[in-house]
Structures are given as C-alpha cells and as structure tokens.
Amino acid sequence: MELNLKKQRARVNYHINSSLKELVLRALFTSAAWGALRSMVKFRFHQYQVVGRGLPTDAEPHPKIYRMKLWATNDVRAKSKFWYFLRKLKKVKKSNGQVLAINEIFERKPTKIKNYGIWLRYQSRTGYHNMYKEYRDITLNGAVEQMYDEMASRHRVRYHGIQIIKTATIPSKLCKRESTKQFHDSKIKFPLVFKKVRPPTRKLKTTFKASRPNLFA
Amino acid sequence: MPFKRYVEIGRVALVNYGKEYGRLVVIVDVIDQNRALVDAPDMVRGQINFKRLSLTDIKIDIPRVPKKKTLIQAMEVADVKNKWENSSWGRKLIVQKRRAALNDFDRFKVMVAKIKRGRAIRQKLGRLKRENAV
C-alpha cells in the first residue's frame, strides 16, 4: 500500500480526479497502448487509486487527504480495502470518512516487457511474513495476478491473506531472482520440448484418438 | 532427433488456437517460460502463450522488440510471405481455405473434374495392361 499525505486545498479534489483522468486518457489514446489494452485478456485484479479523508468536523474543518493505490477485483472492493488499510493507519473509519475519488489505473506501456518486484506481507498458518517476489510481465496487473496465483499455489495463501506493500518495475541489472534473470538475454533461444498440438477449438475436442500424438515441436 | 525450430527473436510462428487462429506472427521477445511477445504487420503487439503457437522454419533478422516499420521491412527482406506460401505447410493451408470456401456449384465442378480425371487414368491404365498382357 502506498500512502501519501496531502495538505487539503479547496479545489484539490476535482484536480486529482480530472488531472489523473487526463493523464490516464492521454496515455491510453496513444494508439499502441489503446489497441493492446483493448485486445488484452480481462484482468482479475485491477489497480485503483483511492483518495479519501475523514469528514470535516468542528474540531478539524480541513482534515488531511490520503491517497492509496491498491488492487481489487472491482471498485467497490477497492473502496472497502481502502478503509481497511486507512483504519489501521489513522483514526478514521468509513462511517466518519468520505472517499473523494476512485480511479482505475491502467498500464502505460502494455507492449513493453518489464520486470516487476512485488513486496508483500502475507499471513501463513503460523504468523505474518514479508516477502519479495519478482515477475516478468507486460503489465503490472498481470504481474499482480501472477503473484496471487503463485502465493496460492506455493504457500496456500488466498487473496484476503495477502497485503501488497509495494510494487516497482525493476531494471534488469537489479533483479535478484534467477528465474527472471534467465530471460535477460538478447539472444535468447530455446526449443519447445513437449509440444502437444490441441484442436483449434474446444468443439473439435474428442476423448479418444486413433493414433498417439506427435509431441515433437 | 535434435531440435531444429527454436523459440528465438525473429522466429515466425503460426497461431493455432484462439482468437488469432491462423495468423502468421513473429516472436519479438520472450516474456517468460510460457509466453512470448509477438507482432505481425497488421496487429497490435501482444503476448501469447507458446501453447498457442506452432513454430515454422522461417526466421527473420530483427533486433529485440523492433518498431513496426523495422519489422515490416525485415519481413520484406526475408520474403516471409512468399516463403510461407511456397512451403508445403503453407500450400496445404491455402488449399484447405480454398476448399472451405467452395460453394455448391464449385463442389459440383470439382466432382465432375475428379470423375473426368479418374476416367482418363483408368483408360490409360487399361490400355497399358492390354499392351503388356498380350
């Protein structure tokens, strides 16, 4: 979770909303990004920016505004997660606070392969642990989805037991994991060793086949 | 048997599953063990799983993740389209497409042509048999 403290100013709310939207839209409408995003697989996890504050009271007419970037499957859950984290950090709850803006954050360059480092805190059966994981992907949402899948398979931790502390795109030099570093090769070359050719549509699938499949590339 | 077709930057592959079925794409970078970044002159660069690709023998010379212009130029230089259409695999696919696009009259014409060809073959065979038997 990334928490930013912002001094409140009268017009800031609308500013956040519109300027971010502009930024995002401008990035989107560059043709490659737009086309690639449109043709992309639906993500399970979307990245949202949620901005909120406590409600103004007589004691504090201008409460501090807080912004968080988090991952959720939809914006309703994003708002809920926002309050969950904010409650743990500041003395404010959903009942005495307000969400000022919630925007979805899209990938800037979905055709560029990046190395993502994700710092997370997860709950195992015996306690909380921190972890750092690296993924190679073209979008941050894709990397986060990979992370959730991997945590579920390797550590049996589900979505609600994982808190993303930080994410970053890591330049190739600073990657720590061998499994990502092995793809940092400009002359990468490998054969596809086990190649089962599938029927081109699920409709043409049959349970029994006349001959054994040819698995050679 | 050693491997002849490798996943590498510049390898031309055919998409054999999914929305892009039947399209020739070029592997432009490797994301990880299962996915590649592919590109073709008439599509937006995107990721695809290796399970959906059938590698071909054709390889072109491109730098890692080239611009669309460079890619198109490299494909022209390597003459990918002609090489593909003249290869036996490519020719088979063209014939398949042609057959799938026949209308009823075309199928009738094919039937007539097949009968004609069969008759000519059998006549010639009969003549050869008579000449060699007697």
Side-chain angles (χ1 to χ4, degrees):
Chain A
M1 46 198 175
E2 288 154 46
L3 197 67
N4 259 338
L5 302 181
K6 274 197 176 119
K7 291 276 164 66
Q8 196 232 13
R9 238 160 249 138
R11 301 268 143 56
V12 152
N13 314 341
Y14 302 106
H15 212 252
I16 293 172
N17 229 320
S18 61
S19 71
L20 183 72
K21 270 206 189 121
E22 267 182 65
L23 255 176
V24 166
L25 284 173
R26 225 181 296 133
L28 260 187
F29 275 102
T30 61
S31 50
W34 183 238
L37 266 184
R38 264 200 2 247
S39 64
M40 213 174 278
V41 182
K42 291 236 182 316
F43 291 118
R44 234 177 91 212
F45 299 102
H46 301 263
Q47 187 182 14
Y48 293 95
Q49 164 187 272
V50 188
V51 182
R53 65 168 189 176
L55 289 169
T57 62
D58 295 328
E60 233 206 304
H62 300 291
K64 278 222 178 84
I65 305 183
Y66 300 103
R67 176 185 86 126
M68 253 191 96
K69 288 201 231 171
L70 38 82
W71 275 267
T73 44
N74 54 41
D75 59 335
V76 172
R77 293 178 109 177
K79 283 188 271 187
S80 169
K81 261 270 184 263
F82 171 73
W83 289 120
Y84 166 76
F85 285 121
L86 206 58
R87 264 202 330 261
K88 293 187 177 301
L89 296 165
K90 301 287 159 191
K91 197 90 193 291
V92 65
K93 297 167 156 193
K94 183 169 172 217
S95 55
N96 53 20
Q98 55 184 182
V99 164
L100 299 170
I102 170 162
N103 308 97
E104 184 165 357
I105 300 176
F106 298 98
E107 183 68 31
R108 221 157 218 195
K109 289 236 181 90
T111 55
K112 179 162 179 279
I113 301 177
K114 301 175 267 298
N115 311 298
Y116 290 101
I118 302 182
W119 286 258
L120 48 124
R121 175 177 186 249
Y122 75 98
Q123 185 176 23
S124 72
R125 293 180 190 143
T126 43
Y128 283 91
H129 307 272
N130 293 335
M131 249 191 195
Y132 166 69
K133 288 192 157 291
E134 276 180 11
Y135 297 100
R136 242 174 101 78
D137 205 312
I138 50 176
T139 63
L140 184 48
N141 290 351
V144 163
E145 198 168 331
Q146 268 188 292
M147 183 276 291
Y148 278 117
D149 287 342
E150 188 178 347
M151 289 302 288
S153 68
R154 290 218 148 101
H155 306 280
R156 304 295 194 243
V157 181
R158 283 101 197 168
Y159 170 75
H160 53 261
I162 295 175
Q163 299 173 5
I164 299 176
I165 301 170
K166 186 168 96 150
T167 62
T169 49
I170 315 271
S172 319
K173 269 196 291 285
L174 304 175
C175 282
K176 282 170 62 181
R177 304 287 185 243
E178 275 309 313
S179 55
T180 49
K181 285 185 2 189
Q182 69 181 343
F183 292 102
H184 294 156
D185 179 4
S186 65
K187 297 198 173 43
I188 192 165
K189 179 173 162 173
F190 55 88
L192 291 174
V193 173
F194 181 91
K195 202 73 180 47
K196 174 164 174 277
V197 187
R198 301 181 283 181
T201 55
R202 299 247 317 163
K203 209 173 194 191
L204 300 168
K205 184 175 82 150
T206 54
T207 324
F208 301 102
K209 304 250 181 254
S211 46
R212 306 194 81 179
N214 175 22
L215 303 167
F216 182 70
Chain B
M1 259 191 302
F3 293 101
K4 290 203 198 71
R5 296 176 187 164
Y6 291 86
V7 167
E8 51 198 328
I9 292 168
R11 173 69 55 181
V12 175
L14 185 71
V15 177
N16 61 23
Y17 192 94
K19 202 161 76 87
E20 304 286 329
Y21 176 69
R23 197 194 270 274
L24 265 187
V25 293
V26 178
I27 294 177
V28 136
D29 201 355
V30 170
I31 299 177
D32 63 18
Q33 197 188 347
N34 300 321
R35 291 175 298 162
L37 200 59
V38 295
D39 206 355
D42 57 342
M43 75 178 229
V44 184
R45 200 190 302 152
Q47 69 167 2
I48 194 166
N49 196 317
F50 288 128
K51 289 188 179 176
R52 294 192 174 195
L53 289 180
S54 298
L55 305 177
T56 67
D57 288 324
I58 309 172
K59 179 184 179 305
I60 65 178
D61 195 11
I62 47 169
R64 201 174 67 92
V65 192
K67 290 202 200 310
K68 213 40 163 253
K69 228 175 20 158
T70 327
L71 177 71
I72 295 176
Q73 231 174 12
M75 289 182 86
E76 300 277 313
V77 162
D79 207 11
V80 168
K81 193 162 184 293
N82 282 338
K83 269 203 207 142
W84 176 244
E85 285 170 5
N86 295 337
S87 71
S88 57
W89 188 356
R91 272 185 282 135
K92 271 190 273 185
L93 284 188
I94 291 173
V95 168
Q96 277 175 15
K97 272 204 199 115
R98 187 87 179 69
R99 286 198 180 142
L102 291 176
N103 64 26
D104 189 59
F105 185 47
D106 286 331
R107 280 190 293 264
F108 175 77
K109 284 192 273 185
V110 168
M111 178 188 76
V112 166
K114 275 192 182 167
I115 291 173
K116 213 173 185 176
R117 184 180 70 168
R119 172 179 297 151
I121 290 173
R122 252 175 280 120
Q123 279 180 341
K124 188 70 186 189
L125 183 62
R127 219 166 284 150
L128 284 172
K129 271 194 188 160
R130 260 184 286 121
E131 281 169 18
N132 284 346
V134 172

